[in-house]
Amino acid sequence: MYNSLSEEEQLSFSYIPWDLRELSGLADGEDARTEETASEEDQEGAFGVELEATDVTEAGLTLICRQSGGYVSGELQTGTAYFLEKREDGQWTQVQPLQELVWDDIALLIPMGGNTEWKIDWSDSFGTLPDGFYRIGKEITDFRAAGDYDTTVCYAEFE
């Protein structure tokens, strides 16, 4: 499918499709993994995922995940893990947790063409956040099989 796209359409992908990685010799065995991080301007990346923060308080928020379009070759998933960053002097700096973070190791499915909401309470992990401009980041995975997946990071900004 990728090869049938125009050059401009091919350039819109933010990662190399798995089958082309294998053909080009970039794949590294059956446990090969690519990890791509979308830029702020292209946070939806190739997966068509957009995050939005609503009901924001100093101790949590509701995170809405919308999926529409994009290029997905497997099943979209995320986990319970997230990270927080604060905008300071024009740069994003990671908000340090109060203690070492421990996450449940479960896959949260992201329905194609649908919306999902997660309530996030960070009061135990980060305390209450002072006033400022923040973003929450989540790793999104296009999972095809064990060792065969692509990952990107999506963000939702909030104040």
mmCIF file of all heavy atoms in Angstrom, residues 18 22 26-34 143-149:
data_model
loop_
_atom_site.group_PDB
_atom_site.id
_atom_site.type_symbol
_atom_site.label_atom_id
_atom_site.label_comp_id
_atom_site.label_asym_id
_atom_site.label_seq_id
_atom_site.Cartn_x
_atom_site.Cartn_y
_atom_site.Cartn_z
ATOM 1 N N TRP A 18 6.477 -1.257 8.776
ATOM 2 C CA TRP A 18 7.214 -2.447 9.197
ATOM 3 C C TRP A 18 7.710 -3.275 8.006
ATOM 4 O O TRP A 18 8.848 -3.688 7.969
ATOM 5 C CB TRP A 18 6.340 -3.290 10.117
ATOM 6 C CG TRP A 18 7.071 -4.510 10.570
ATOM 7 C CD1 TRP A 18 6.873 -5.791 10.170
ATOM 8 C CD2 TRP A 18 8.159 -4.557 11.485
ATOM 9 N NE1 TRP A 18 7.757 -6.632 10.778
ATOM 10 C CE2 TRP A 18 8.561 -5.897 11.594
ATOM 11 C CE3 TRP A 18 8.840 -3.597 12.217
ATOM 12 C CZ2 TRP A 18 9.615 -6.297 12.412
ATOM 13 C CZ3 TRP A 18 9.881 -4.013 13.024
ATOM 14 C CH2 TRP A 18 10.252 -5.336 13.112
ATOM 15 N N GLU A 22 11.670 -4.304 6.978
ATOM 16 C CA GLU A 22 12.212 -5.642 6.724
ATOM 17 C C GLU A 22 12.887 -5.697 5.357
ATOM 18 O O GLU A 22 13.997 -6.207 5.226
ATOM 19 C CB GLU A 22 11.095 -6.690 6.797
ATOM 20 C CG GLU A 22 10.638 -6.974 8.200
ATOM 21 C CD GLU A 22 9.602 -8.078 8.237
ATOM 22 O OE1 GLU A 22 8.588 -7.939 7.533
ATOM 23 O OE2 GLU A 22 9.822 -9.049 8.952
ATOM 24 N N LEU A 26 16.396 -2.909 7.691
ATOM 25 C CA LEU A 26 16.427 -2.138 8.936
ATOM 26 C C LEU A 26 15.874 -2.919 10.114
ATOM 27 O O LEU A 26 16.163 -2.604 11.254
ATOM 28 C CB LEU A 26 15.627 -0.839 8.787
ATOM 29 C CG LEU A 26 16.200 0.173 7.791
ATOM 30 C CD1 LEU A 26 15.235 1.337 7.628
ATOM 31 C CD2 LEU A 26 17.556 0.665 8.239
ATOM 32 N N ALA A 27 15.043 -3.945 9.843
ATOM 33 C CA ALA A 27 14.475 -4.741 10.929
ATOM 34 C C ALA A 27 15.588 -5.531 11.589
ATOM 35 O O ALA A 27 16.542 -5.948 10.950
ATOM 36 C CB ALA A 27 13.394 -5.672 10.390
ATOM 37 N N ASP A 28 15.445 -5.772 12.866
ATOM 38 C CA ASP A 28 16.520 -6.387 13.632
ATOM 39 C C ASP A 28 16.045 -7.676 14.273
ATOM 40 O O ASP A 28 16.087 -7.826 15.479
ATOM 41 C CB ASP A 28 17.007 -5.381 14.670
ATOM 42 C CG ASP A 28 18.308 -5.792 15.316
ATOM 43 O OD1 ASP A 28 19.145 -6.410 14.640
ATOM 44 O OD2 ASP A 28 18.458 -5.493 16.507
ATOM 45 N N GLY A 29 15.531 -8.612 13.497
ATOM 46 C CA GLY A 29 15.065 -9.879 14.043
ATOM 47 C C GLY A 29 13.622 -9.801 14.493
ATOM 48 O O GLY A 29 12.962 -8.794 14.363
ATOM 49 N N GLU A 30 13.127 -10.904 15.069
ATOM 50 C CA GLU A 30 11.709 -10.953 15.407
ATOM 51 C C GLU A 30 11.329 -10.067 16.570
ATOM 52 O O GLU A 30 10.178 -9.724 16.752
ATOM 53 C CB GLU A 30 11.258 -12.395 15.682
ATOM 54 C CG GLU A 30 11.801 -12.999 16.951
ATOM 55 C CD GLU A 30 11.307 -14.409 17.136
ATOM 56 O OE1 GLU A 30 11.806 -15.294 16.432
ATOM 57 O OE2 GLU A 30 10.413 -14.607 17.964
ATOM 58 N N ASP A 31 12.294 -9.637 17.388
ATOM 59 C CA ASP A 31 11.991 -8.750 18.497
ATOM 60 C C ASP A 31 12.277 -7.297 18.147
ATOM 61 O O ASP A 31 12.355 -6.450 19.030
ATOM 62 C CB ASP A 31 12.793 -9.140 19.739
ATOM 63 C CG ASP A 31 12.297 -10.432 20.330
ATOM 64 O OD1 ASP A 31 11.098 -10.724 20.210
ATOM 65 O OD2 ASP A 31 13.124 -11.150 20.900
ATOM 66 N N ALA A 32 12.416 -6.982 16.860
ATOM 67 C CA ALA A 32 12.711 -5.618 16.455
ATOM 68 C C ALA A 32 11.555 -4.699 16.819
ATOM 69 O O ALA A 32 10.397 -5.078 16.783
ATOM 70 C CB ALA A 32 12.960 -5.552 14.946
ATOM 71 N N ARG A 33 11.896 -3.483 17.164
ATOM 72 C CA ARG A 33 10.895 -2.505 17.574
ATOM 73 C C ARG A 33 11.335 -1.146 17.071
ATOM 74 O O ARG A 33 12.508 -0.811 17.131
ATOM 75 C CB ARG A 33 10.817 -2.477 19.093
ATOM 76 C CG ARG A 33 9.935 -1.400 19.612
ATOM 77 C CD ARG A 33 9.950 -1.404 21.119
ATOM 78 N NE ARG A 33 9.103 -0.328 21.557
ATOM 79 C CZ ARG A 33 9.253 0.313 22.675
ATOM 80 N NH1 ARG A 33 10.187 -0.008 23.500
ATOM 81 N NH2 ARG A 33 8.441 1.284 22.994
ATOM 82 N N THR A 34 10.387 -0.359 16.571
ATOM 83 C CA THR A 34 10.698 1.018 16.236
ATOM 84 C C THR A 34 9.971 1.891 17.232
ATOM 85 O O THR A 34 8.859 1.596 17.652
ATOM 86 C CB THR A 34 10.234 1.391 14.809
ATOM 87 O OG1 THR A 34 8.828 1.252 14.727
ATOM 88 C CG2 THR A 34 10.911 0.535 13.774
ATOM 89 N N PHE A 143 0.048 -2.064 17.869
ATOM 90 C CA PHE A 143 0.516 -3.414 18.194
ATOM 91 C C PHE A 143 0.016 -4.413 17.161
ATOM 92 O O PHE A 143 -1.172 -4.562 16.930
ATOM 93 C CB PHE A 143 0.003 -3.806 19.589
ATOM 94 C CG PHE A 143 0.454 -5.161 20.032
ATOM 95 C CD1 PHE A 143 1.715 -5.340 20.575
ATOM 96 C CD2 PHE A 143 -0.378 -6.256 19.901
ATOM 97 C CE1 PHE A 143 2.138 -6.597 20.983
ATOM 98 C CE2 PHE A 143 0.036 -7.517 20.301
ATOM 99 C CZ PHE A 143 1.296 -7.687 20.845
ATOM 100 N N ARG A 144 0.965 -5.122 16.532
ATOM 101 C CA ARG A 144 0.630 -6.153 15.555
ATOM 102 C C ARG A 144 0.839 -7.547 16.132
ATOM 103 O O ARG A 144 0.026 -8.425 15.941
ATOM 104 C CB ARG A 144 1.454 -5.953 14.290
ATOM 105 C CG ARG A 144 1.069 -4.676 13.533
ATOM 106 C CD ARG A 144 1.983 -4.406 12.353
ATOM 107 N NE ARG A 144 3.322 -4.011 12.750
ATOM 108 C CZ ARG A 144 3.679 -2.782 13.107
ATOM 109 N NH1 ARG A 144 2.790 -1.815 13.144
ATOM 110 N NH2 ARG A 144 4.931 -2.510 13.446
ATOM 111 N N ALA A 145 1.946 -7.739 16.826
ATOM 112 C CA ALA A 145 2.278 -9.028 17.446
ATOM 113 C C ALA A 145 3.435 -8.779 18.402
ATOM 114 O O ALA A 145 4.057 -7.719 18.373
ATOM 115 C CB ALA A 145 2.673 -10.055 16.384
ATOM 116 N N ALA A 146 3.748 -9.778 19.225
ATOM 117 C CA ALA A 146 4.869 -9.647 20.150
ATOM 118 C C ALA A 146 6.132 -9.275 19.376
ATOM 119 O O ALA A 146 6.491 -9.940 18.399
ATOM 120 C CB ALA A 146 5.080 -10.944 20.915
ATOM 121 N N GLY A 147 6.766 -8.184 19.766
ATOM 122 C CA GLY A 147 7.967 -7.724 19.098
ATOM 123 C C GLY A 147 7.729 -7.006 17.785
ATOM 124 O O GLY A 147 8.670 -6.594 17.129
ATOM 125 N N ASP A 148 6.483 -6.835 17.400
ATOM 126 C CA ASP A 148 6.133 -6.201 16.127
ATOM 127 C C ASP A 148 5.144 -5.072 16.405
ATOM 128 O O ASP A 148 3.934 -5.279 16.376
ATOM 129 C CB ASP A 148 5.527 -7.251 15.184
ATOM 130 C CG ASP A 148 5.197 -6.678 13.809
ATOM 131 O OD1 ASP A 148 5.589 -5.523 13.519
ATOM 132 O OD2 ASP A 148 4.548 -7.394 13.021
ATOM 133 N N TYR A 149 5.665 -3.898 16.694
ATOM 134 C CA TYR A 149 4.822 -2.759 17.009
ATOM 135 C C TYR A 149 5.590 -1.465 16.779
ATOM 136 O O TYR A 149 6.811 -1.455 16.689
ATOM 137 C CB TYR A 149 4.326 -2.821 18.446
ATOM 138 C CG TYR A 149 5.427 -2.934 19.479
ATOM 139 C CD1 TYR A 149 5.985 -1.810 20.065
ATOM 140 C CD2 TYR A 149 5.912 -4.178 19.857
ATOM 141 C CE1 TYR A 149 6.989 -1.911 20.999
ATOM 142 C CE2 TYR A 149 6.914 -4.294 20.797
ATOM 143 C CZ TYR A 149 7.453 -3.149 21.374
ATOM 144 O OH TYR A 149 8.455 -3.267 22.300
#
